[in-house]
Amino acid sequence: MQDFCHSVWHLPISLGAVHKVIDRVSGALLLHYAVMAELARQAPVGYIDETPWYCHNTLQWLWTMATDTVTLSLIHPHRSKEAFFELIEDWEGLLVSDGYGVCQSWVEARQTCLAHLIRTARSLAARDHPDLAACGTWA
């Protein structure tokens, strides 16, 4: 951020000032994040996925719930059921997700993400075993 401000705007800025700006923006966005979270948790359908997220060389997880109107994200230290429920709280809609075990045990309605199914079919189609390749090609 320091390099960007200096090279684009010719504005020298200290690391402390960058942190203050980040803190101010984060504080200003809290209310908006709360509204987005409420909208996401009221949606009838949620597309949920998690991906590795490195913060200061420490593995964390970026959890995301996308709906027709908003996308809610949460950075959590674990890829766990606890993190999943911290993201969704009391939401009970149709869950669209990959094959991650936490999502497979969802007691409400669930659908496997079509992109993940297509990726699996392509992988099967590339196999040497003829039956697996035929199944993947068909799918």
Side-chain angles (χ1 to χ4, degrees):
M1 193 51 123
Q2 283 179 293
D3 291 340
F4 175 80
C5 289
H6 188 270
S7 65
V8 174
W9 296 319
H10 306 290
L11 176 71
I13 186 168
S14 70
L15 191 56
V18 170
H19 284 286
K20 283 184 182 179
V21 169
I22 290 171
D23 287 344
R24 286 182 189 159
V25 170
S26 296
L29 292 176
L30 280 176
L31 178 62
H32 298 285
Y33 182 84
V35 170
M36 290 170 56
E38 184 177 333
L39 288 172
R41 292 171 182 142
Q42 292 174 358
V45 179
Y47 302 83
I48 297 179
D49 203 3
E50 79 292 334
T51 191
W53 183 269
Y54 289 91
C55 184
H56 303 290
N57 296 321
T58 302
L59 175 61
Q60 305 234 349
W61 293 90
L62 173 63
W63 287 82
T64 302
M65 177 181 185
T67 71
D68 287 344
T69 56
V70 297
T71 298
L72 178 65
S73 296
L74 166 74
I75 296 174
H76 197 278
H78 304 290
R79 183 181 187 227
S80 63
K81 193 173 196 174
E82 171 191 322
F84 173 76
F85 282 108
E86 190 172 324
L87 175 71
I88 68 162
E89 291 187 357
D90 59 354
W91 177 75
E92 294 181 346
L94 170 66
L95 170 64
V96 182
S97 68
D98 58 12
Y100 182 43
V102 167
C103 297
Q104 285 186 343
S105 63
W106 182 244
V107 295
E108 305 298 328
R110 190 179 84 76
Q111 176 181 322
T112 300
C113 172
L114 296 178
H116 284 86
L117 290 175
I118 291 168
R119 191 177 316 145
T120 300
R122 286 183 177 154
S123 174
L124 286 173
R127 296 286 180 95
D128 289 333
H129 192 283
D131 290 340
L132 291 176
C135 179
T137 302
W138 172 84

